[in-house]
Short mmCIF file of all heavy atoms in Angstrom, two decimals:
data_model
loop_
_atom_site.label_atom_id
_atom_site.label_comp_id
_atom_site.label_asym_id
_atom_site.label_seq_id
_atom_site.Cartn_x
_atom_site.Cartn_y
_atom_site.Cartn_z
N MET A 1 7.91 12.00 15.25
CA MET A 1 7.48 12.79 14.12
C MET A 1 7.14 11.90 12.95
O MET A 1 6.14 12.11 12.20
CB MET A 1 8.46 13.86 13.75
CG MET A 1 8.54 15.05 14.61
SD MET A 1 9.58 16.37 13.98
CE MET A 1 11.16 15.91 14.78
N ARG A 2 7.99 10.86 12.76
CA ARG A 2 7.78 9.94 11.65
C ARG A 2 6.43 9.16 11.78
O ARG A 2 5.61 9.16 10.81
CB ARG A 2 8.88 8.88 11.61
CG ARG A 2 8.68 7.91 10.47
CD ARG A 2 9.81 6.83 10.55
NE ARG A 2 9.95 6.10 11.89
CZ ARG A 2 9.13 5.18 12.32
NH1 ARG A 2 8.11 4.78 11.58
NH2 ARG A 2 9.27 4.64 13.45
N LYS A 3 6.06 8.86 12.94
CA LYS A 3 4.79 8.21 13.22
C LYS A 3 3.60 9.10 12.99
O LYS A 3 2.48 8.65 12.62
CB LYS A 3 4.70 7.56 14.57
CG LYS A 3 5.59 6.40 14.80
CD LYS A 3 5.47 5.80 16.16
CE LYS A 3 6.39 4.59 16.33
NZ LYS A 3 6.14 4.00 17.66
N ALA A 4 3.79 10.34 13.03
CA ALA A 4 2.75 11.36 12.83
C ALA A 4 2.61 11.68 11.40
O ALA A 4 1.71 12.47 10.99
CB ALA A 4 3.09 12.65 13.60
N GLY A 5 3.48 11.13 10.52
CA GLY A 5 3.43 11.33 9.10
C GLY A 5 4.20 12.36 8.52
O GLY A 5 4.14 12.76 7.42
N VAL A 6 5.20 12.91 9.32
CA VAL A 6 6.09 14.01 8.84
C VAL A 6 7.08 13.38 7.93
O VAL A 6 7.66 12.34 8.26
CB VAL A 6 6.70 14.71 10.10
CG1 VAL A 6 7.71 15.77 9.53
CG2 VAL A 6 5.72 15.27 10.97
N ASP A 7 7.34 13.92 6.83
CA ASP A 7 8.26 13.50 5.80
C ASP A 7 9.66 13.38 6.38
O ASP A 7 10.04 14.34 7.16
CB ASP A 7 8.24 14.41 4.59
CG ASP A 7 9.07 13.76 3.42
OD1 ASP A 7 8.57 12.80 2.81
OD2 ASP A 7 10.13 14.34 3.12
N HIS A 8 10.43 12.41 5.92
CA HIS A 8 11.90 12.24 6.44
C HIS A 8 12.68 13.37 6.19
O HIS A 8 13.47 13.81 7.15
CB HIS A 8 12.44 11.02 5.82
CG HIS A 8 11.85 9.71 6.19
ND1 HIS A 8 12.10 8.55 5.64
CD2 HIS A 8 11.02 9.47 7.29
CE1 HIS A 8 11.33 7.53 6.21
NE2 HIS A 8 10.69 8.10 7.20
N SER A 9 12.57 14.07 5.05
CA SER A 9 13.39 15.22 4.86
C SER A 9 13.16 16.39 5.83
O SER A 9 14.03 17.12 6.19
CB SER A 9 13.27 15.68 3.34
OG SER A 9 11.95 16.10 3.13
N VAL A 10 11.83 16.51 6.16
CA VAL A 10 11.51 17.63 7.08
C VAL A 10 12.08 17.28 8.53
O VAL A 10 12.56 18.03 9.23
CB VAL A 10 9.99 17.77 7.25
CG1 VAL A 10 9.62 18.79 8.28
CG2 VAL A 10 9.41 18.18 5.81
N ILE A 11 11.91 15.91 8.85
CA ILE A 11 12.51 15.57 10.20
C ILE A 11 13.91 15.79 10.23
O ILE A 11 14.50 16.31 11.23
CB ILE A 11 12.06 14.06 10.53
CG1 ILE A 11 10.55 13.86 10.48
CG2 ILE A 11 12.76 13.71 11.81
CD1 ILE A 11 10.22 12.48 10.54
N MET A 12 14.59 15.48 9.21
CA MET A 12 16.07 15.52 9.18
C MET A 12 16.46 17.03 9.36
O MET A 12 17.46 17.34 10.03
CB MET A 12 16.61 15.05 7.88
CG MET A 12 16.68 13.48 7.80
SD MET A 12 17.23 12.87 6.19
CE MET A 12 18.85 13.61 5.98
N LYS A 13 15.72 17.88 8.71
CA LYS A 13 15.99 19.33 8.68
C LYS A 13 15.77 19.90 10.11
O LYS A 13 16.61 20.57 10.59
CB LYS A 13 15.11 20.12 7.78
CG LYS A 13 15.37 21.49 7.56
CD LYS A 13 16.57 21.68 6.61
CE LYS A 13 16.66 23.13 6.14
NZ LYS A 13 17.86 23.30 5.28
N LEU A 14 14.71 19.44 10.79
CA LEU A 14 14.39 19.92 12.15
C LEU A 14 15.40 19.35 13.20
O LEU A 14 15.70 20.09 14.14
CB LEU A 14 13.01 19.48 12.55
CG LEU A 14 11.82 20.17 11.73
CD1 LEU A 14 10.51 19.59 12.11
CD2 LEU A 14 11.85 21.63 11.90
N THR A 15 15.86 18.11 13.01
CA THR A 15 16.65 17.48 14.03
C THR A 15 18.19 17.69 13.75
O THR A 15 18.94 17.29 14.53
CB THR A 15 16.41 15.97 14.09
OG1 THR A 15 16.64 15.34 12.78
CG2 THR A 15 15.00 15.66 14.59
N GLY A 16 18.52 18.22 12.53
CA GLY A 16 19.98 18.54 12.27
C GLY A 16 20.61 17.29 11.66
O GLY A 16 21.85 17.38 11.54
N HIS A 17 20.00 16.26 11.26
CA HIS A 17 20.69 15.16 10.58
C HIS A 17 21.09 15.48 9.17
O HIS A 17 20.11 15.84 8.42
CB HIS A 17 19.81 13.88 10.62
CG HIS A 17 19.56 13.31 11.99
ND1 HIS A 17 18.29 13.34 12.59
CD2 HIS A 17 20.39 12.80 12.97
CE1 HIS A 17 18.35 12.83 13.72
NE2 HIS A 17 19.66 12.52 14.04
N LYS A 18 22.28 15.47 8.90
CA LYS A 18 22.73 15.91 7.56
C LYS A 18 22.62 14.84 6.48
O LYS A 18 22.53 15.09 5.35
CB LYS A 18 24.18 16.42 7.68
CG LYS A 18 24.35 17.52 8.72
CD LYS A 18 24.77 18.81 8.09
CE LYS A 18 25.18 19.81 9.15
NZ LYS A 18 24.01 20.56 9.51
N THR A 19 22.69 13.55 6.86
CA THR A 19 22.63 12.46 5.92
C THR A 19 21.49 11.48 6.31
O THR A 19 21.23 11.31 7.46
CB THR A 19 24.03 11.73 5.92
OG1 THR A 19 24.18 11.13 7.11
CG2 THR A 19 25.12 12.65 5.52
N PRO A 20 21.01 10.80 5.27
CA PRO A 20 20.03 9.75 5.58
C PRO A 20 20.47 8.62 6.50
O PRO A 20 19.74 8.14 7.33
CB PRO A 20 19.70 9.14 4.17
CG PRO A 20 19.94 10.29 3.27
CD PRO A 20 21.13 10.98 3.89
N SER A 21 21.81 8.32 6.46
CA SER A 21 22.38 7.29 7.34
C SER A 21 22.33 7.66 8.77
O SER A 21 22.07 6.85 9.63
CB SER A 21 23.80 6.90 6.84
OG SER A 21 24.58 8.07 6.95
N MET A 22 22.66 9.01 9.05
CA MET A 22 22.49 9.48 10.39
C MET A 22 21.07 9.45 10.92
O MET A 22 20.80 9.13 12.04
CB MET A 22 23.07 10.88 10.55
CG MET A 22 24.60 10.95 10.52
SD MET A 22 25.33 9.93 11.76
CE MET A 22 24.90 10.75 13.24
N PHE A 23 20.12 9.78 10.06
CA PHE A 23 18.70 9.71 10.42
C PHE A 23 18.32 8.32 10.69
O PHE A 23 17.71 8.11 11.68
CB PHE A 23 17.83 10.30 9.29
CG PHE A 23 16.38 10.15 9.43
CD1 PHE A 23 15.73 10.95 10.38
CD2 PHE A 23 15.62 9.16 8.86
CE1 PHE A 23 14.40 10.82 10.64
CE2 PHE A 23 14.34 9.03 9.06
CZ PHE A 23 13.67 9.90 9.91
N GLN A 24 18.74 7.32 9.88
CA GLN A 24 18.37 5.99 10.07
C GLN A 24 18.91 5.41 11.33
O GLN A 24 18.34 4.47 11.99
CB GLN A 24 18.82 5.18 8.89
CG GLN A 24 17.92 5.36 7.72
CD GLN A 24 16.47 5.04 7.90
OE1 GLN A 24 16.06 4.37 8.73
NE2 GLN A 24 15.61 5.63 6.96
N GLN A 25 20.10 5.91 11.79
CA GLN A 25 20.69 5.40 12.95
C GLN A 25 19.87 5.60 14.21
O GLN A 25 19.83 4.82 15.19
CB GLN A 25 22.08 6.08 13.18
CG GLN A 25 22.89 5.60 14.33
CD GLN A 25 24.20 6.24 14.39
OE1 GLN A 25 24.67 6.90 13.48
NE2 GLN A 25 24.88 6.11 15.59
N TYR A 26 19.12 6.76 14.28
CA TYR A 26 18.24 7.12 15.34
C TYR A 26 16.79 6.77 15.16
O TYR A 26 15.89 6.97 15.97
CB TYR A 26 18.43 8.49 15.68
CG TYR A 26 19.84 8.85 16.21
CD1 TYR A 26 20.75 9.42 15.33
CD2 TYR A 26 20.27 8.47 17.42
CE1 TYR A 26 22.11 9.60 15.75
CE2 TYR A 26 21.52 8.70 17.86
CZ TYR A 26 22.38 9.31 17.03
OH TYR A 26 23.73 9.55 17.47
N ASN A 27 16.43 6.31 13.89
CA ASN A 27 15.08 6.08 13.52
C ASN A 27 14.82 4.53 13.89
O ASN A 27 15.06 3.67 13.08
CB ASN A 27 14.85 6.30 12.01
CG ASN A 27 13.48 5.97 11.68
OD1 ASN A 27 12.50 6.08 12.42
ND2 ASN A 27 13.27 5.59 10.41
N THR A 28 14.23 4.31 15.06
CA THR A 28 14.10 2.94 15.49
C THR A 28 12.77 2.44 15.09
O THR A 28 11.74 3.16 14.90
CB THR A 28 14.20 2.87 17.08
OG1 THR A 28 13.25 3.76 17.59
CG2 THR A 28 15.51 3.32 17.48
N VAL A 29 12.62 1.05 14.90
CA VAL A 29 11.34 0.38 14.58
C VAL A 29 10.91 -0.35 15.85
O VAL A 29 11.66 -1.18 16.36
CB VAL A 29 11.56 -0.54 13.45
CG1 VAL A 29 10.26 -1.30 13.08
CG2 VAL A 29 12.08 0.18 12.14
N ASP A 30 9.66 -0.02 16.39
CA ASP A 30 9.19 -0.74 17.49
C ASP A 30 8.11 -1.72 17.03
O ASP A 30 7.79 -1.88 15.90
CB ASP A 30 8.73 0.21 18.53
CG ASP A 30 7.63 1.15 18.03
OD1 ASP A 30 6.98 0.82 17.03
OD2 ASP A 30 7.39 2.15 18.71
N VAL A 31 7.47 -2.39 18.02
CA VAL A 31 6.49 -3.38 17.78
C VAL A 31 5.30 -2.85 17.00
O VAL A 31 4.67 -3.45 16.19
CB VAL A 31 6.04 -4.07 19.19
CG1 VAL A 31 4.82 -4.98 18.97
CG2 VAL A 31 7.24 -4.84 19.79
N ASP A 32 4.84 -1.61 17.47
CA ASP A 32 3.71 -0.97 16.71
C ASP A 32 4.07 -0.70 15.27
O ASP A 32 3.17 -0.90 14.44
CB ASP A 32 3.35 0.30 17.44
CG ASP A 32 2.80 0.09 18.80
OD1 ASP A 32 2.21 -1.02 19.02
OD2 ASP A 32 2.84 1.02 19.63
N ASP A 33 5.31 -0.38 14.94
CA ASP A 33 5.73 -0.15 13.61
C ASP A 33 5.52 -1.49 12.80
O ASP A 33 5.02 -1.50 11.61
CB ASP A 33 7.10 0.33 13.43
CG ASP A 33 7.36 1.73 14.00
OD1 ASP A 33 6.42 2.54 13.93
OD2 ASP A 33 8.44 2.02 14.51
N ALA A 34 6.01 -2.50 13.36
CA ALA A 34 6.04 -3.89 12.74
C ALA A 34 4.63 -4.32 12.51
O ALA A 34 4.18 -4.72 11.42
CB ALA A 34 6.87 -4.84 13.56
N LYS A 35 3.74 -4.17 13.51
CA LYS A 35 2.29 -4.55 13.35
C LYS A 35 1.66 -3.75 12.21
O LYS A 35 0.89 -4.32 11.36
CB LYS A 35 1.59 -4.27 14.72
CG LYS A 35 1.95 -5.29 15.82
CD LYS A 35 1.15 -5.01 17.01
CE LYS A 35 1.43 -5.98 18.16
NZ LYS A 35 0.80 -5.58 19.40
N LEU A 36 1.93 -2.45 12.22
CA LEU A 36 1.35 -1.62 11.11
C LEU A 36 1.78 -2.08 9.77
O LEU A 36 1.03 -2.17 8.83
CB LEU A 36 1.60 -0.22 11.38
CG LEU A 36 1.15 0.77 10.35
CD1 LEU A 36 -0.39 0.74 10.25
CD2 LEU A 36 1.62 2.25 10.66
N ALA A 37 3.08 -2.38 9.68
CA ALA A 37 3.61 -2.83 8.34
C ALA A 37 2.92 -4.09 7.95
O ALA A 37 2.61 -4.33 6.71
CB ALA A 37 5.16 -3.08 8.46
N TYR A 38 2.75 -5.11 8.84
CA TYR A 38 2.13 -6.32 8.52
C TYR A 38 0.70 -6.20 8.11
O TYR A 38 0.12 -6.81 7.24
CB TYR A 38 2.22 -7.36 9.63
CG TYR A 38 3.60 -8.07 9.65
CD1 TYR A 38 4.45 -7.91 10.69
CD2 TYR A 38 3.89 -8.98 8.60
CE1 TYR A 38 5.72 -8.53 10.72
CE2 TYR A 38 5.11 -9.61 8.61
CZ TYR A 38 6.04 -9.37 9.59
OH TYR A 38 7.24 -10.10 9.62
N ARG A 39 0.04 -5.23 8.87
CA ARG A 39 -1.38 -4.99 8.48
C ARG A 39 -1.53 -4.40 7.06
O ARG A 39 -2.36 -4.76 6.31
CB ARG A 39 -1.96 -3.94 9.57
CG ARG A 39 -3.46 -4.08 9.83
CD ARG A 39 -3.98 -3.33 10.91
NE ARG A 39 -3.23 -3.39 12.11
CZ ARG A 39 -2.73 -2.31 12.86
NH1 ARG A 39 -2.97 -1.11 12.45
NH2 ARG A 39 -2.00 -2.51 13.94
N ARG A 40 -0.60 -3.41 6.80
CA ARG A 40 -0.67 -2.82 5.44
C ARG A 40 -0.37 -3.95 4.32
O ARG A 40 -0.96 -3.81 3.28
CB ARG A 40 0.31 -1.63 5.39
CG ARG A 40 -0.19 -0.48 6.11
CD ARG A 40 0.80 0.69 6.02
NE ARG A 40 0.20 1.88 6.68
CZ ARG A 40 0.92 2.96 6.98
NH1 ARG A 40 2.16 3.06 6.49
NH2 ARG A 40 0.34 3.99 7.58
N LEU A 41 0.59 -4.78 4.61
CA LEU A 41 0.91 -5.80 3.70
C LEU A 41 -0.30 -6.73 3.47
O LEU A 41 -0.59 -7.11 2.33
CB LEU A 41 2.13 -6.62 4.17
CG LEU A 41 2.60 -7.77 3.31
CD1 LEU A 41 2.98 -7.41 1.91
CD2 LEU A 41 3.72 -8.55 3.96
N GLU A 42 -0.95 -7.03 4.53
CA GLU A 42 -2.09 -7.94 4.34
C GLU A 42 -3.16 -7.28 3.57
O GLU A 42 -3.83 -7.95 2.74
CB GLU A 42 -2.67 -8.32 5.74
CG GLU A 42 -1.88 -9.37 6.50
CD GLU A 42 -2.41 -9.63 7.87
OE1 GLU A 42 -3.29 -8.82 8.44
OE2 GLU A 42 -1.93 -10.53 8.51
N GLU A 43 -3.41 -5.97 3.74
CA GLU A 43 -4.35 -5.23 2.97
C GLU A 43 -4.02 -5.19 1.47
O GLU A 43 -4.92 -5.45 0.63
CB GLU A 43 -4.51 -3.83 3.55
CG GLU A 43 -5.13 -3.63 4.81
CD GLU A 43 -5.16 -2.27 5.40
OE1 GLU A 43 -4.56 -1.38 4.73
OE2 GLU A 43 -5.45 -2.09 6.53
N LEU A 44 -2.71 -5.00 1.21
CA LEU A 44 -2.28 -4.94 -0.16
C LEU A 44 -2.45 -6.33 -0.79
O LEU A 44 -2.92 -6.50 -1.90
CB LEU A 44 -0.83 -4.56 -0.20
CG LEU A 44 -0.16 -4.64 -1.57
CD1 LEU A 44 -0.76 -3.49 -2.55
CD2 LEU A 44 1.31 -4.45 -1.50
N LEU A 45 -2.04 -7.41 -0.13
CA LEU A 45 -2.19 -8.68 -0.65
C LEU A 45 -3.71 -9.11 -0.93
O LEU A 45 -4.08 -9.74 -1.87
CB LEU A 45 -1.51 -9.74 0.16
CG LEU A 45 0.02 -9.63 0.31
CD1 LEU A 45 0.58 -10.63 1.27
CD2 LEU A 45 0.67 -9.77 -1.08
N SER A 46 -4.59 -8.74 0.00
CA SER A 46 -5.97 -8.98 -0.23
C SER A 46 -6.49 -8.22 -1.34
O SER A 46 -7.25 -8.74 -2.15
CB SER A 46 -6.74 -8.52 1.01
OG SER A 46 -6.40 -9.25 2.20
N GLN A 47 -6.16 -6.93 -1.62
CA GLN A 47 -6.56 -6.26 -2.74
C GLN A 47 -6.06 -6.84 -4.07
O GLN A 47 -6.84 -6.99 -4.96
CB GLN A 47 -5.99 -4.73 -2.68
CG GLN A 47 -6.65 -3.95 -1.62
CD GLN A 47 -6.07 -2.56 -1.42
OE1 GLN A 47 -5.04 -2.26 -2.13
NE2 GLN A 47 -6.46 -1.85 -0.53
N GLU A 48 -4.84 -7.33 -4.10
CA GLU A 48 -4.26 -7.95 -5.24
C GLU A 48 -4.99 -9.27 -5.55
O GLU A 48 -5.28 -9.64 -6.67
CB GLU A 48 -2.78 -8.19 -5.15
CG GLU A 48 -2.02 -6.94 -5.28
CD GLU A 48 -0.51 -7.13 -5.11
OE1 GLU A 48 -0.04 -8.27 -4.76
OE2 GLU A 48 0.25 -6.19 -5.23
N GLN A 49 -5.30 -10.03 -4.52
CA GLN A 49 -5.93 -11.23 -4.69
C GLN A 49 -7.39 -11.03 -5.22
O GLN A 49 -7.84 -11.76 -6.08
CB GLN A 49 -6.10 -11.99 -3.33
CG GLN A 49 -6.61 -13.40 -3.43
CD GLN A 49 -6.64 -14.11 -2.11
OE1 GLN A 49 -6.62 -13.49 -1.06
NE2 GLN A 49 -6.62 -15.44 -2.16
N ALA A 50 -8.09 -9.99 -4.79
CA ALA A 50 -9.44 -9.69 -5.18
C ALA A 50 -9.36 -9.24 -6.67
O ALA A 50 -10.20 -9.58 -7.52
CB ALA A 50 -10.04 -8.56 -4.45
N GLN A 51 -8.33 -8.49 -7.11
CA GLN A 51 -8.17 -8.02 -8.43
C GLN A 51 -7.89 -9.23 -9.46
O GLN A 51 -8.23 -9.22 -10.58
CB GLN A 51 -7.11 -6.96 -8.60
CG GLN A 51 -7.49 -5.60 -7.99
CD GLN A 51 -6.32 -4.76 -7.97
OE1 GLN A 51 -5.20 -4.99 -8.39
NE2 GLN A 51 -6.62 -3.45 -7.66
N ASN A 52 -7.16 -10.23 -8.87
CA ASN A 52 -6.77 -11.40 -9.76
C ASN A 52 -7.80 -12.54 -9.70
O ASN A 52 -7.62 -13.57 -10.37
CB ASN A 52 -5.34 -11.91 -9.28
CG ASN A 52 -4.27 -10.90 -9.55
OD1 ASN A 52 -4.42 -10.06 -10.47
ND2 ASN A 52 -3.29 -10.93 -8.76
N ALA A 53 -8.84 -12.32 -8.98
CA ALA A 53 -9.96 -13.35 -8.99
C ALA A 53 -10.59 -13.52 -10.36
O ALA A 53 -10.40 -12.59 -11.29
CB ALA A 53 -11.02 -12.93 -7.97
N ALA A 54 -11.20 -14.54 -10.56
CA ALA A 54 -11.90 -14.82 -11.91
C ALA A 54 -12.75 -13.70 -12.21
O ALA A 54 -13.57 -13.22 -11.46
CB ALA A 54 -12.65 -16.11 -11.77
N PRO A 55 -12.62 -13.22 -13.49
CA PRO A 55 -13.47 -12.09 -14.00
C PRO A 55 -14.90 -12.43 -14.08
O PRO A 55 -15.18 -13.62 -14.30
CB PRO A 55 -12.81 -11.75 -15.34
CG PRO A 55 -12.20 -13.04 -15.75
CD PRO A 55 -11.68 -13.79 -14.52
N THR A 56 -15.72 -11.53 -13.82
CA THR A 56 -17.17 -11.68 -13.95
C THR A 56 -17.58 -11.32 -15.34
O THR A 56 -16.98 -10.42 -16.03
CB THR A 56 -17.95 -10.93 -12.91
OG1 THR A 56 -17.57 -9.55 -13.13
CG2 THR A 56 -17.59 -11.36 -11.55
N LYS A 57 -18.54 -11.92 -15.83
CA LYS A 57 -19.12 -11.67 -17.22
C LYS A 57 -20.12 -10.55 -17.19
O LYS A 57 -21.02 -10.66 -16.29
CB LYS A 57 -19.61 -12.85 -17.91
CG LYS A 57 -18.61 -13.92 -18.30
CD LYS A 57 -19.30 -15.05 -19.02
CE LYS A 57 -18.43 -16.18 -19.41
NZ LYS A 57 -19.03 -17.32 -20.03
N LYS A 58 -20.13 -9.78 -18.13
CA LYS A 58 -21.24 -8.78 -18.31
C LYS A 58 -21.76 -9.21 -19.76
O LYS A 58 -21.17 -9.11 -20.73
CB LYS A 58 -20.82 -7.37 -18.46
CG LYS A 58 -20.42 -6.71 -17.05
CD LYS A 58 -20.09 -5.35 -17.30
CE LYS A 58 -19.61 -4.66 -16.05
NZ LYS A 58 -19.25 -3.27 -16.26
N CYS A 59 -23.02 -9.66 -19.69
CA CYS A 59 -23.56 -10.12 -21.04
C CYS A 59 -24.66 -9.14 -21.38
O CYS A 59 -25.46 -8.68 -20.65
CB CYS A 59 -24.19 -11.53 -20.93
SG CYS A 59 -22.83 -12.80 -20.59
N PHE A 60 -24.74 -8.91 -22.75
CA PHE A 60 -25.74 -8.04 -23.27
C PHE A 60 -26.58 -8.77 -24.29
O PHE A 60 -26.04 -9.53 -25.12
CB PHE A 60 -25.07 -6.78 -23.99
CG PHE A 60 -24.13 -6.08 -23.09
CD1 PHE A 60 -22.78 -6.33 -23.11
CD2 PHE A 60 -24.64 -5.14 -22.24
CE1 PHE A 60 -21.98 -5.68 -22.21
CE2 PHE A 60 -23.78 -4.46 -21.27
CZ PHE A 60 -22.43 -4.75 -21.31
N GLN A 61 -27.81 -8.62 -24.28
CA GLN A 61 -28.66 -9.33 -25.35
C GLN A 61 -28.74 -8.40 -26.56
O GLN A 61 -29.10 -7.31 -26.47
CB GLN A 61 -30.08 -9.46 -24.72
CG GLN A 61 -30.96 -10.35 -25.56
CD GLN A 61 -30.45 -11.82 -25.53
OE1 GLN A 61 -30.03 -12.29 -24.54
NE2 GLN A 61 -30.59 -12.40 -26.72
N GLY A 62 -28.28 -8.95 -27.57
CA GLY A 62 -28.33 -8.30 -28.98
C GLY A 62 -29.56 -8.73 -29.71
O GLY A 62 -30.65 -8.81 -29.17
N ALA A 63 -29.27 -9.05 -30.93
CA ALA A 63 -30.35 -9.76 -31.69
C ALA A 63 -30.75 -11.01 -31.05
O ALA A 63 -30.02 -11.58 -30.20
CB ALA A 63 -29.83 -10.02 -33.12
N PRO A 64 -31.96 -11.53 -31.26
CA PRO A 64 -32.52 -12.70 -30.58
C PRO A 64 -31.58 -13.84 -30.53
O PRO A 64 -31.64 -14.61 -29.54
CB PRO A 64 -33.75 -12.92 -31.38
CG PRO A 64 -34.12 -11.79 -32.02
CD PRO A 64 -32.88 -11.01 -32.26
N ASP A 65 -30.75 -14.13 -31.52
CA ASP A 65 -29.82 -15.24 -31.55
C ASP A 65 -28.41 -14.89 -31.24
O ASP A 65 -27.50 -15.76 -31.32
CB ASP A 65 -29.91 -15.93 -32.89
CG ASP A 65 -29.53 -14.92 -34.07
OD1 ASP A 65 -29.49 -13.70 -33.77
OD2 ASP A 65 -29.24 -15.46 -35.12
N ILE A 66 -28.10 -13.67 -30.69
CA ILE A 66 -26.72 -13.28 -30.44
C ILE A 66 -26.67 -12.77 -29.00
O ILE A 66 -27.39 -11.95 -28.57
CB ILE A 66 -26.26 -12.17 -31.35
CG1 ILE A 66 -26.30 -12.62 -32.79
CG2 ILE A 66 -24.96 -11.64 -30.98
CD1 ILE A 66 -25.93 -11.55 -33.79
N ARG A 67 -25.63 -13.22 -28.29
CA ARG A 67 -25.36 -12.70 -26.97
C ARG A 67 -23.90 -12.33 -26.91
O ARG A 67 -23.03 -13.14 -27.31
CB ARG A 67 -25.59 -13.81 -25.98
CG ARG A 67 -26.60 -13.43 -24.96
CD ARG A 67 -26.80 -14.36 -23.97
NE ARG A 67 -26.70 -13.71 -22.70
CZ ARG A 67 -27.06 -14.14 -21.57
NH1 ARG A 67 -27.48 -15.34 -21.41
NH2 ARG A 67 -27.00 -13.32 -20.50
N ARG A 68 -23.60 -11.13 -26.49
CA ARG A 68 -22.23 -10.60 -26.37
C ARG A 68 -21.81 -10.58 -24.87
O ARG A 68 -22.66 -10.05 -24.12
CB ARG A 68 -22.05 -9.25 -26.99
CG ARG A 68 -22.26 -9.19 -28.39
CD ARG A 68 -22.16 -7.73 -28.93
NE ARG A 68 -23.20 -6.92 -28.34
CZ ARG A 68 -22.94 -5.67 -27.89
NH1 ARG A 68 -21.77 -5.09 -28.05
NH2 ARG A 68 -23.91 -5.01 -27.31
N CYS A 69 -20.65 -11.09 -24.56
CA CYS A 69 -20.28 -11.04 -23.22
C CYS A 69 -18.84 -10.34 -23.12
O CYS A 69 -18.03 -10.56 -23.87
CB CYS A 69 -20.08 -12.44 -22.58
SG CYS A 69 -21.73 -13.27 -22.43
N GLU A 70 -18.74 -9.50 -22.10
CA GLU A 70 -17.45 -8.87 -21.84
C GLU A 70 -16.95 -9.20 -20.59
O GLU A 70 -17.60 -9.56 -19.61
CB GLU A 70 -17.63 -7.26 -21.94
CG GLU A 70 -18.04 -6.78 -23.15
CD GLU A 70 -18.29 -5.22 -23.11
OE1 GLU A 70 -18.18 -4.71 -22.04
OE2 GLU A 70 -18.57 -4.74 -24.20
N PHE A 71 -15.56 -9.25 -20.44
CA PHE A 71 -14.97 -9.59 -19.19
C PHE A 71 -14.47 -8.41 -18.58
O PHE A 71 -14.07 -7.45 -19.13
CB PHE A 71 -13.84 -10.54 -19.40
CG PHE A 71 -14.39 -11.95 -19.72
CD1 PHE A 71 -14.52 -12.31 -21.05
CD2 PHE A 71 -14.65 -12.87 -18.78
CE1 PHE A 71 -14.99 -13.55 -21.39
CE2 PHE A 71 -15.18 -14.12 -19.11
CZ PHE A 71 -15.32 -14.48 -20.43
#
């Protein structure tokens, strides 16, 4: 159910686990879970790297002798 996106609290209610620790005891992580986690981490890091890249300038021509640039 967890892999299908069902919230932990709903799974606990359906399976009768009264505490999060009991739920975690039976909630195993397999190779597919680990691969997905690494893929999501790589995506997050790529997004952060793209956001932290050098800003691009937007320049506007004002009066003939003035140029304004925004980052």
Side-chain angles (χ1 to χ4, degrees):
M1 283 188 269
R2 178 184 54 80
K3 289 183 180 183
V6 178
D7 188 72
H8 291 165
S9 61
V10 175
I11 298 170
M12 287 175 57
K13 189 77 163 178
L14 294 172
T15 58
H17 294 114
K18 304 242 186 277
T19 64
S21 61
M22 285 303 294
F23 174 75
Q24 290 299 342
Q25 184 175 348
Y26 295 100
N27 180 30
T28 59
V29 176
D30 59 19
V31 174
D32 291 335
D33 291 330
K35 286 179 182 179
L36 179 61
Y38 278 114
R39 209 172 314 128
R40 287 182 178 170
L41 178 61
E42 285 176 351
E43 289 171 6
L44 175 67
L45 294 175
S46 293
Q47 290 172 0
E48 287 180 355
Q49 187 177 22
Q51 289 175 353
N52 293 331
T56 58
K57 289 184 183 179
K58 287 184 185 177
C59 295
F60 306 95
Q61 189 68 39
D65 58 341
I66 298 174
R67 240 183 131 166
R68 295 179 299 140
C69 295
E70 296 178 356
F71 290 91

